[in-house]
């Protein structure tokens, strides 16, 4: 393990503390299923999120002390529904091998869609079996059918080739390894041991799983920020921690360095910018056109005023003559 500050003594303390915690939880619990083994997880915290899509096909990490065995584990197998190789045919194939090859239950996709349609039934199915295997041809269809419980418990089905002649050997190989599932986050959880195993076996499995898992992480050991040990319900006990990388300042990519402009003195005041030649030529023409329009308007208004004055004068003289005539006319009688 190429981590500065990694101490095996810290690992041993964490394993001992976690085993004591599990023992106390089982003693104080009234649940009949509390005597079942707890699964230990190693948790990897990364400094940077890997730029890769999530993959449903897991990466096998062989362990020196397998978590499950075909003889003692409850194993379920998901198969496709196809004529000649469906649910019934898979049952007959498994029955040919000794102890059914270690498989306790064969489930077809059609049965998974109908009988295990509700969320409660999917959770119960996840609790019933220790390990789930699947025909490698149906693995892409399973995430929508099995539900979130399988992903939370890290019980995603392991793909195998059910048409191969060495089917029992494939089941045994699947039980002898743990699995790493790549996601798009900065946290990776891997099953490494069970609470019924000894502290040395837990330590050996943790070491083997960690070394193999880092090989599939971008930038490998330099991208590891923390390593923790936990169960599904316990707190994460730190085995290794480091500070995140210091943020880097982004400098401007200019060709010449920026410098403050020098202040101008009174003698160095900038002259006003000259007007464009086209603007200078347009201004006299516009002024001449405005003056001509004004003069034309005045000449048109003068005759009108004169005519109005003559009319008023004529009307006034006629009125005076009429009044005088009326006064000069003698009265009859």
């Amino acid at each position: 393990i190429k981590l500065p500050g990694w101490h095996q003594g810290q690992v041993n303390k964490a394993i001992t503390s976690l085993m004591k915690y599990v023992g106390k939880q089982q003693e104080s619990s009234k649940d009949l299923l509390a005597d079942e083994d707890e699964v230990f997880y190693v948790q990897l915290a990364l400094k940077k999120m890997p730029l890769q899509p999530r993959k449903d096909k897991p990466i096998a990490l062989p362990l020196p002390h397998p978590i499950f065995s075909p003889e003692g584990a409850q194993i379920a197998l998901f198969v496709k529904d196809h004529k000649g190789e469906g649910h019934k045919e898979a049952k007959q194939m498994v029955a040919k091998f000794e102890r059914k090859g270690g498989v306790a239950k064969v489930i077809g996709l059609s049965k998974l869609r109908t009988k295990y349609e509700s969320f409660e039934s999917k959770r119960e199915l996840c609790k019933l079996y220790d390990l789930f295997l699947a025909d490698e041809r149906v693995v892409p269809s399973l995430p929508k059918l099995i539900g979130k419980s399988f992903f939370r418990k890290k019980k995603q089905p392991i793909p195998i080739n059910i048409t191969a002649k060495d089917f029992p050997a494939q089941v045994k190989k699947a039980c002898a390894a743990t699995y790493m599932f790549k996601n798009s986050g900065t946290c990776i959880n891997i099953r490494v041991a069970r609470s019924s195993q000894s502290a040395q076996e837990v330590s050996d499995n943790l070491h083997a799983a960690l070394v193999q898992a880092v090989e599939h992480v971008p930038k490998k050991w330099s991208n590891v920020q923390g390593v923790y040990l936990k169960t599904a319900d316990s707190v994460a006990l730190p085995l290794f921690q480091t500070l995140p990388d210091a943020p880097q300042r982004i400098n401007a990519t200019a060709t010449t360095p920026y410098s403050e402009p020098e202040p101008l003195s009174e003698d160095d005041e900038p002259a006003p910018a000259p007007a464009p030649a086209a603007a200078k030529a347009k201004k006299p023409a516009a002024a001449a056109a405005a003056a001509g329009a004004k003069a034309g308007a005045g000449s048109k208004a003068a005759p009108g005023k004169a005519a109005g004055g003559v009319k008023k004068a004529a009307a006034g003289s006629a009125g005076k003559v009429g009044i005088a005539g009326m006064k000069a006319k003698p009265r009859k009688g």
Side-chain angles (χ1 to χ4, degrees):
I1 296 178
K2 301 176 182 179
L3 292 174
W6 177 271
H7 298 291
Q8 185 61 34
Q10 178 69 16
V11 177
N12 295 336
K13 289 180 181 179
I15 294 173
T16 304
S17 300
L18 201 58
M19 285 185 165
K20 288 182 179 179
Y21 168 78
V22 172
K24 289 181 180 179
Q25 289 293 109
Q26 291 177 349
E27 290 176 1
S28 60
S29 178
K30 296 180 180 179
D31 190 359
L32 297 177
L33 299 177
D35 293 335
E36 294 183 357
D37 290 346
E38 286 282 348
V39 177
F40 288 178
Y41 298 87
V42 62
Q43 187 178 78
L44 276 175
L46 306 180
K47 294 179 182 179
K48 294 184 180 180
M49 181 169 32
L51 300 177
Q52 58 189 9
R54 192 190 78 180
K55 294 184 179 180
D56 296 320
K57 189 174 181 179
I59 300 171
L61 309 175
L63 297 176
H65 309 286
I67 302 175
F68 306 107
S69 64
E71 295 80 14
Q74 292 292 322
I75 302 173
L77 173 65
F78 295 122
V79 297
K80 64 186 300 185
D81 292 319
H82 191 270
K83 187 176 181 180
E85 52 183 359
H87 182 222
K88 293 182 180 179
E89 288 75 10
K91 277 188 173 182
Q92 295 173 1
M93 183 270 297
V94 170
K96 295 179 182 178
F97 301 105
E98 184 180 358
R99 297 180 181 178
K100 297 183 179 180
V103 176
K105 182 74 173 178
V106 178
I107 304 173
L109 291 187
S110 59
K111 194 173 183 181
L112 189 60
R113 289 190 182 99
T114 55
K115 185 176 180 180
Y116 302 100
E117 184 180 5
S118 64
F119 296 108
E120 293 78 8
S121 59
K122 290 176 181 178
R123 284 197 293 267
E124 290 300 322
L125 177 64
C126 183
K127 292 178 182 179
L128 283 177
Y129 300 96
D130 300 316
L131 186 66
F132 292 88
L133 306 178
D135 185 350
E136 58 187 4
R137 295 169 293 182
V138 302
V139 169
S141 307
L142 289 176
K144 295 181 180 179
L145 299 176
I146 58 179
K148 296 180 180 179
S149 300
F150 284 77
F151 292 91
R152 289 173 183 169
K153 298 291 185 179
K154 301 300 175 186
K155 287 187 175 182
Q156 295 98 311
I158 309 303
I160 61 172
N161 183 11
I162 65 171
T163 60
K165 295 181 180 180
D166 59 341
F167 176 76
Q170 292 193 53
V171 176
K172 188 175 181 179
K173 185 179 178 180
C175 293
T178 188
Y179 296 89
M180 172 183 173
F181 295 88
K182 287 188 175 182
N183 52 35
S184 56
T186 58
C187 186
I188 301 174
N189 289 310
I190 304 170
R191 293 189 292 184
V192 293
R194 299 172 70 94
S195 59
S196 59
Q197 293 177 309
S198 66
Q200 186 61 43
E201 290 177 343
V202 176
S203 179
D204 294 343
N205 284 358
L206 188 151
H207 187 278
L210 183 58
V211 171
Q212 295 178 78
V214 172
E215 293 298 319
H216 301 278
V217 173
K219 298 184 179 180
K220 298 183 174 23
W221 295 104
S222 60
N223 196 23
V224 177
Q225 184 172 343
V227 182
Y228 306 90
L229 184 66
K230 65 185 293 291
T231 64
D233 302 322
S234 72
V235 297
L237 302 179
L239 307 179
F240 168 79
Q241 283 181 318
T242 184
L243 294 175
D245 294 338
Q248 297 180 356
R249 186 173 183 178
I250 301 175
N251 297 323
T253 58
T255 55
T256 57
Y258 174 77
S259 60
E260 293 289 340
E262 297 181 359
L264 297 175
S265 61
E266 295 181 358
D267 297 334
D268 296 336
E269 291 184 0
K280 288 182 179 179
K282 288 181 179 179
K283 283 185 179 179
K294 189 174 182 180
S299 61
K300 288 179 181 179
K305 290 181 180 179
V310 172
K311 288 179 181 180
K312 287 181 180 179
S317 60
K320 289 180 180 179
V321 171
I323 293 172
M326 290 176 65
K327 289 182 180 179
K329 189 176 181 180
R331 298 177 63 182
K332 293 181 180 183

